[in-house]
Amino acid sequence: MMKNLVIGQSGGPTAVINASLYGAVKAFRESGADGHVLGMINGIEGFLADHVMDLSTDLSDEELELLKLTPAAYLGSCRYKLPADLDSEVYPAIFDNFREMNIGYFLYVGGNDSMDTVDKLSRYAEKIGSDVKFIGIPKTIDNDLVLTDHTPGFGSAAKYVASTVREIVLDASVYQQRSVTIVEIMGRHAGWLTAASRLARKYEGDNPCLIYLPETPFSLEQFYNDLDAAFKKSPNLVVCVSEGIADEGGTFVCEYSDAAKLDSFGHKMLTGCGEVLESFVRDKFGVKVRSIELNVNQRCSGMMVSETDIEEAAMAGAAGVKAVLAGETKKMIAFKRDSDMPYKMHCTPEDVSLICNQEKKFPKEWINAAGNDITDDFSAYALPLIQGEPKRVMENGVPKYLYRK
Amino acid sequence: MMKNLVIGQSGGPTAVINASLYGAVKAFRESGADGHVLGMINGIEGFLADHVMDLSTDLSDEELELLKLTPAAYLGSCRYKLPADLDSEVYPAIFDNFREMNIGYFLYVGGNDSMDTVDKLSRYAEKIGSDVKFIGIPKTIDNDLVLTDHTPGFGSAAKYVASTVREIVLDASVYQQRSVTIVEIMGRHAGWLTAASRLARKYEGDNPCLIYLPETPFSLEQFYNDLDAAFKKSPNLVVCVSEGIADEGGTFVCEYSDAAKLDSFGHKMLTGCGEVLESFVRDKFGVKVRSIELNVNQRCSGMMVSETDIEEAAMAGAAGVKAVLAGETKKMIAFKRDSDMPYKMHCTPEDVSLICNQEKKFPKEWINAAGNDITDDFSAYALPLIQGEPKRVMENGVPKYLYRK
């Protein structure tokens, strides 16, 4: 009997979440299955409000190709956590929609929280004896999902970070006067993306000279000593830090200024750790100092996407369709690495209940003993993920992307 | 008699200042002149300390091609202002160096302040009867030099801003919940670069929905009303502001928080106007709000350079060589636009004394009556400048750039 597939995007945007959507739509079309692919507008939250579009009919082949290279989340996203209690009335509402829309297959592209959604819906289906199948497609620039070698979105974000930091290093080195440039990179709990700044370093002694991740306790005293030592070798220092660096006691560095810093309206200002460290350096060294927050473009830029990442994200979408049509459920498509050089990997479904709500930290053994640099082992791991550049589609001098009006 | 040419880079880095260097080195080689091209390391400041390199012998053809696509300032830069008093002892020191290094021609790539250097050195040469010739090559992302249609560096920065804002617009639109995203763009006194965010808008009603330049007095009250009106049309608003927006009384918006905002070390924090407006919006609207400072990458990124800009920067370097060899002095190479469609321009030397220390503001007639948007006339002006993408040279997944170790 003909069944439709519904797919949604959830959590923060990445450069390749739409490539997974592309891969899924394309694979479903090519599978010969005679249902439609429906897209949830704004994830499960929108789906609850019957907000869907028909991706089988509403996207031309040309638009589908453009979708593959479009960053952010074409369908819109949500941050909606399903209730832990499977007796909640939300579940029957969702499954009523499945019946009404004749849904047999459910794909959800996202990170930790989205995998939690896949897990809960699978368990509810089990509970009520529904035969709807649920598969998660991984997506996060944080690269913090367990049971997968890496996640789609990380490679492009890592390539953007490495390339951007390389350019910041050039920019920071033009004057003779001593200076410190602090680059704050996304990563609240895991340092994967900040570690990618290591790939910007071209020779021994080159910038970035210091890299700090949340996995090592941060101390202002060590930071002072590290900078002092680095100034003996070079006048212009570039330092990369994760937004989530914290001290031995677990206090985030970005919280250091909370007490002192009020805005003109009397409220606490939200400060990044980069700004806190900027003030510290200005105070202690009296040199020119600047902090740069890479901000949302590190996750959503199409300017420096990795072709490897794009292709793998599409592959994950296609693998999700294949798995769900084969009757698999309660799984996430994981990546297994077969070799570094030449780089080879394949997709395999893993139990989503073992993945959701878990966090894969950056390995301690890839951080140097002093806790201020990344080892070459990480480079060997990360380099294959940032290779290749797809041909960009331009319109009037800016990248052409697909959007819902 | 054989004479050498010396060339320096000065002021803030851009994506194409090295393309001008490339154009000059190449043109001098091809001119048949038998001198060498010397590069000042760190501009006139380094030159005073005899710090030069021989660009004729030290750069291979391959390196020269790579130089053309390398952002920032290969020779290093300075922010050194020559004394107004031509009787200062600095001048004989510089001209002694000219004699010792057998310099007959002097090119300086930079903005306002650098043109001041060209002007002063030309006047000193006149005064002492030296036959060294001085020509300025324009360079600034601010596009604020007079007597030239536009400046090398602006096109690439504008393309980066338009492309980046386009991606921020996609990123900011993924959730249903109301939100404001404030993008702070470089431009202390002139709004040219912020205006380029207009090129990110794809249809009537699309983001960025509001654009504020320093050329129009900014008022928080109007800002509130503008946002309030915009929320009636769309839940997700992207607003672009110049770092230098100021109110009717001339106070910079970024100064509003000065009194209240101290860091944990008891010092005043440097805040951008984006952060001030972020607090204001949070206070008044209670919606999700984020401010993004595009920071140094808008001036120094090679990821989204304009091929038109690269070629014109090289052309300006070559035109400088041609002019100086022909005996011109006290001039800056200016761009004259012959037509918009098809876009045509040519180089011509203009009196540098009429250019230095002047500032070309964004035209009032290209700002709408409400002072919160840019007209189509600007798009017609700016679009030709952001066209084309050179083929990027990559190495290990990141852009390959030339650097002095």
Side-chain angles (χ1 to χ4, degrees):
Chain A
M1 189 192 121
M2 189 270 274
K3 287 281 183 189
N4 295 321
L5 179 147
V6 69
I7 184 167
Q9 300 174 317
S10 172
T14 79
V16 305
I17 186 169
N18 289 329
S20 289
L21 188 58
Y22 160 92
V25 172
K26 197 125 171 148
F28 195 82
R29 282 186 187 178
E30 288 166 3
S31 72
D34 53 3
H36 282 218
V37 178
L38 305 181
M40 310 174 206
I41 306 300
N42 295 114
I44 193 73
E45 192 178 9
F47 183 72
L48 266 163
D50 302 331
H51 204 178
V52 297
M53 70 180 284
D54 191 331
L55 293 164
S56 297
T57 56
D58 295 354
L59 286 186
S60 69
D61 285 351
E62 196 193 333
E63 285 173 325
L64 198 56
E65 291 303 322
L66 199 54
L67 178 65
K68 189 179 179 185
L69 296 179
T70 296
Y74 175 73
L75 293 173
S77 183
C78 69
R79 292 205 180 274
Y80 185 86
K81 190 138 180 149
L82 286 174
D85 180 3
L86 293 188
D87 290 329
S88 154
E89 61 189 10
V90 170
Y91 293 98
I94 293 173
F95 279 71
D96 280 352
N97 272 9
F98 288 158
R99 253 184 311 276
E100 278 163 28
M101 298 183 197
N102 193 27
I103 305 292
Y105 317 105
F106 180 102
L107 294 185
Y108 214 43
V109 193
N112 276 322
D113 290 342
S114 313
M115 293 310 130
D116 180 73
T117 298
V118 174
D119 180 56
K120 283 174 179 155
L121 291 175
S122 312
R123 288 194 281 120
Y124 185 80
E126 233 167 55
K127 185 181 153 187
I128 64 164
S130 158
D131 60 357
V132 179
K133 308 298 179 196
F134 299 86
I135 294 278
I137 313 290
K139 170 249 46 160
T140 168
I141 60 162
D142 292 331
N143 201 34
D144 61 352
L145 296 183
V146 298
L147 295 188
T148 186
D149 179 76
H150 58 281
T151 58
F154 173 65
S156 293
K159 189 182 181 89
Y160 182 90
V161 165
S163 303
T164 301
V165 169
R166 182 77 207 131
E167 293 174 343
I168 289 172
V169 167
L170 292 182
D171 186 278
S173 309
V174 303
Y175 298 116
Q176 301 180 77
Q177 289 73 17
R178 294 206 304 170
S179 70
V180 175
T181 304
I182 297 157
V183 186
E184 181 185 327
I185 297 167
M186 281 181 173
R188 203 81 186 132
H189 304 292
W192 293 97
L193 196 53
T194 303
S197 65
R198 169 70 179 79
L199 306 174
R201 193 186 296 153
K202 288 295 170 188
Y203 54 89
E204 179 80 29
D206 190 18
N207 277 310
C209 58
L210 297 165
I211 301 173
Y212 301 98
L213 310 190
E215 281 81 358
T216 308
F218 185 86
S219 111
L220 284 175
E221 195 186 339
Q222 195 206 323
F223 181 54
Y224 177 87
N225 293 334
D226 289 348
L227 285 177
D228 198 45
F231 267 135
K232 296 193 167 74
K233 297 182 198 158
S234 167
N236 305 119
L237 309 181
V238 177
V239 179
C240 294
V241 296
S242 290
E243 58 179 335
I245 50 170
D247 60 29
E248 196 79 56
T251 305
F252 287 112
V253 171
C254 63
E255 293 173 325
Y256 284 7
S257 67
D258 273 10
K261 210 175 146 205
L262 294 178
D263 66 25
S264 350
F265 314 102
H267 303 299
K268 269 193 200 175
M269 290 282 285
L270 302 175
T271 319
C273 64
E275 279 190 57
V276 172
L277 297 180
E278 179 185 330
S279 288
F280 176 78
V281 173
R282 191 171 291 116
D283 188 55
K284 298 295 178 189
F285 289 90
V287 299
K288 188 182 159 201
V289 53
R290 179 195 292 273
S291 69
I292 300 172
E293 198 185 336
L294 291 195
N295 225 308
V296 301
N297 285 91
Q298 66 197 293
R299 73 180 182 198
C300 76
S301 176
M303 291 189 212
M304 196 46 78
V305 286
S306 150
E307 189 162 38
T308 303
D309 191 25
I310 292 271
E311 294 305 330
E312 289 183 351
M315 199 190 295
V321 167
K322 199 177 153 200
V324 88
L325 289 180
E328 298 248 36
T329 190
K330 210 182 173 188
K331 298 276 168 71
M332 183 194 85
I333 301 301
F335 289 170
K336 301 293 161 187
R337 187 182 297 224
D338 303 312
S339 69
D340 278 340
M341 286 181 67
Y343 172 67
K344 278 188 189 161
M345 53 74 76
H346 68 276
C347 296
T348 183
E350 293 279 0
D351 186 344
V352 78
S353 69
L354 302 175
I355 296 169
C356 62
N357 308 314
Q358 300 295 316
E359 220 170 36
K360 186 169 74 176
K361 299 280 190 180
F362 189 84
K364 292 257 189 222
E365 59 272 25
W366 289 355
I367 302 174
N368 70 341
N372 58 18
D373 204 356
I374 308 301
T375 70
D376 290 341
D377 287 340
F378 169 73
S379 303
Y381 164 85
L383 272 175
L385 312 182
I386 68 165
Q387 299 303 310
E389 300 78 42
K391 190 169 159 37
R392 295 181 284 189
V393 186
M394 305 294 291
E395 187 177 53
N396 275 333
V398 299
K400 185 177 179 183
Y401 295 134
L402 192 69
Y403 52 86
R404 290 181 301 112
K405 230 174 161 172
Chain B
M1 191 191 118
M2 189 269 278
K3 287 280 182 188
N4 296 319
L5 180 147
V6 69
I7 183 166
Q9 300 174 316
S10 171
T14 79
V16 305
I17 186 170
N18 289 329
S20 289
L21 188 57
Y22 160 93
V25 172
K26 197 126 170 147
F28 194 82
R29 282 187 188 179
E30 287 166 3
S31 73
D34 54 3
H36 283 217
V37 178
L38 305 181
M40 310 175 205
I41 306 299
N42 295 113
I44 193 74
E45 192 178 9
F47 183 73
L48 266 163
D50 302 331
H51 204 179
V52 297
M53 70 180 284
D54 191 331
L55 292 164
S56 296
T57 55
D58 295 355
L59 286 185
S60 69
D61 286 350
E62 196 192 333
E63 286 173 324
L64 197 57
E65 290 303 322
L66 198 55
L67 177 65
K68 189 179 179 185
L69 296 179
T70 296
Y74 175 74
L75 293 173
S77 183
C78 69
R79 290 204 180 277
Y80 184 87
K81 191 138 181 150
L82 286 174
D85 179 4
L86 293 187
D87 290 329
S88 155
E89 60 188 9
V90 169
Y91 294 99
I94 293 173
F95 279 72
D96 280 352
N97 272 9
F98 289 159
R99 253 185 311 277
E100 278 163 27
M101 298 184 196
N102 193 27
I103 305 292
Y105 317 105
F106 180 102
L107 294 185
Y108 214 42
V109 194
N112 275 323
D113 289 343
S114 312
M115 293 311 128
D116 179 73
T117 298
V118 173
D119 180 56
K120 283 175 178 155
L121 291 174
S122 312
R123 288 194 282 121
Y124 184 81
E126 234 167 54
K127 186 181 153 187
I128 64 164
S130 158
D131 58 359
V132 180
K133 308 297 180 199
F134 299 86
I135 294 276
I137 314 290
K139 170 246 49 158
T140 168
I141 61 163
D142 292 332
N143 201 35
D144 61 352
L145 296 184
V146 298
L147 294 189
T148 184
D149 178 76
H150 59 281
T151 57
F154 173 65
S156 293
K159 188 182 181 88
Y160 183 89
V161 164
S163 304
T164 301
V165 169
R166 182 76 207 131
E167 294 174 342
I168 290 172
V169 167
L170 293 181
D171 186 278
S173 309
V174 303
Y175 298 117
Q176 302 179 78
Q177 290 72 17
R178 293 206 303 172
S179 70
V180 176
T181 304
I182 297 155
V183 186
E184 182 185 325
I185 297 166
M186 283 180 172
R188 203 82 186 132
H189 304 291
W192 292 97
L193 196 52
T194 303
S197 65
R198 169 69 180 79
L199 306 174
R201 193 185 297 153
K202 288 297 170 186
Y203 54 89
E204 179 80 28
D206 189 19
N207 276 311
C209 59
L210 297 165
I211 301 173
Y212 301 97
L213 310 190
E215 280 80 358
T216 307
F218 185 86
S219 111
L220 283 175
E221 195 186 337
Q222 195 206 324
F223 182 53
Y224 177 87
N225 292 334
D226 288 349
L227 285 177
D228 198 44
F231 267 136
K232 297 196 167 73
K233 296 182 198 158
S234 166
N236 305 119
L237 309 180
V238 177
V239 179
C240 294
V241 296
S242 290
E243 58 178 336
I245 50 169
D247 61 28
E248 197 79 55
T251 306
F252 286 113
V253 171
C254 63
E255 294 172 325
Y256 284 7
S257 68
D258 272 11
K261 211 175 144 205
L262 294 178
D263 66 24
S264 350
F265 314 101
H267 302 301
K268 268 192 200 178
M269 292 281 286
L270 302 175
T271 319
C273 64
E275 279 189 56
V276 172
L277 297 180
E278 179 185 330
S279 289
F280 176 78
V281 172
R282 190 172 291 116
D283 187 56
K284 298 295 177 190
F285 289 91
V287 298
K288 187 181 159 202
V289 53
R290 178 195 292 274
S291 69
I292 300 172
E293 200 186 334
L294 291 194
N295 225 309
V296 301
N297 285 91
Q298 64 197 294
R299 72 180 183 198
C300 77
S301 177
M303 291 190 213
M304 196 47 79
V305 286
S306 151
E307 190 162 38
T308 303
D309 191 25
I310 292 271
E311 294 306 330
E312 288 183 350
M315 199 189 295
V321 168
K322 199 176 153 201
V324 88
L325 289 180
E328 298 247 35
T329 191
K330 210 182 174 188
K331 297 277 168 71
M332 183 193 85
I333 301 301
F335 289 169
K336 300 294 160 187
R337 186 181 300 225
D338 303 313
S339 69
D340 278 340
M341 285 181 69
Y343 173 66
K344 278 187 190 161
M345 53 74 76
H346 68 276
C347 295
T348 183
E350 293 280 359
D351 186 345
V352 78
S353 69
L354 301 176
I355 295 169
C356 61
N357 308 313
Q358 301 295 317
E359 220 169 35
K360 187 169 74 176
K361 300 280 190 182
F362 190 84
K364 293 260 188 217
E365 59 272 27
W366 290 355
I367 302 175
N368 70 343
N372 58 18
D373 204 357
I374 307 302
T375 70
D376 289 341
D377 287 340
F378 170 73
S379 304
Y381 164 85
L383 272 175
L385 312 182
I386 67 166
Q387 299 304 310
E389 299 78 41
K391 191 172 158 33
R392 296 181 284 189
V393 185
M394 304 294 292
E395 187 177 53
N396 276 332
V398 299
K400 185 176 179 184
Y401 295 134
L402 192 70
Y403 51 87
R404 291 180 301 111
K405 231 177 160 171

